[in-house]
């Protein structure tokens, strides 16, 4: 989990988001407070860094996740369905 978490922190930083996050940090209100454009930008960063493609529904519901949830999602999807060959 640490490698993916560190990589996602780098993606957050490259997208000009706060990168000092813990697994319990919400992506929505009370945490990173990502708006729709920010979620889309982060999804592009995930695609570039990990080859993980998120669906529109996953991008929309990202505000309900914590940073740790996102790490688990990327770990589950990396190398599997929804990622580039």
């Amino acid at each position: 989990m640490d490698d993916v978490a560190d990589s996602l922190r780098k993606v957050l930083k490259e997208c000009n988001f706060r990168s000092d996050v813990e697994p319990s940090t919400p992506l929505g209100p009370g945490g990173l407070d990502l708006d729709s454009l920010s979620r889309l930008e982060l999804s592009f960063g995930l695609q570039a860094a990990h080859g993980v493609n998120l669906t529109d529904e996953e991008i929309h519901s990202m505000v309900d996740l914590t940073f740790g949830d996102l790490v688990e999602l990327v770990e589950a999807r990396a190398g599997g369905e929804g990622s580039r060959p």
Side-chain angles (χ1 to χ4, degrees), residues 37-53:
L37 184 58
S38 298
R39 292 189 307 268
L40 189 59
E41 186 176 0
L42 180 56
S43 73
F44 290 143
L46 292 174
Q47 183 178 12
H50 295 281
V52 173
N53 296 313

Side-chain angles (χ1 to χ4, degrees), residues 17-44:
F17 302 127
R18 207 178 91 213
S19 61
D20 61 334
V21 294
E22 298 297 324
S24 61
T25 302
L27 299 180
L32 294 178
D33 202 20
L34 301 179
D35 61 19
S36 58
L37 184 58
S38 298
R39 292 189 307 268
L40 189 59
E41 186 176 0
L42 180 56
S43 73
F44 290 143

Side-chain angles (χ1 to χ4, degrees), residues 28-79:
L32 294 178
D33 202 20
L34 301 179
D35 61 19
S36 58
L37 184 58
S38 298
R39 292 189 307 268
L40 189 59
E41 186 176 0
L42 180 56
S43 73
F44 290 143
L46 292 174
Q47 183 178 12
H50 295 281
V52 173
N53 296 313
L54 300 178
T55 66
D56 289 343
E57 185 175 315
E58 288 171 326
I59 293 168
H60 178 73
S61 64
M62 195 183 288
V63 294
D64 298 325
L65 300 178
T66 64
F67 179 73
D69 295 333
L70 183 60
V71 169
E72 290 176 9
L73 175 65
V74 171
E75 287 177 333
R77 299 281 291 280

Side-chain angles (χ1 to χ4, degrees), residues 7-28:
S7 177
L8 289 180
R9 284 184 181 96
K10 183 178 177 182
V11 170
L12 287 170
K13 187 174 182 176
E14 289 171 354
C15 293
N16 295 317
F17 302 127
R18 207 178 91 213
S19 61
D20 61 334
V21 294
E22 298 297 324
S24 61
T25 302
L27 299 180

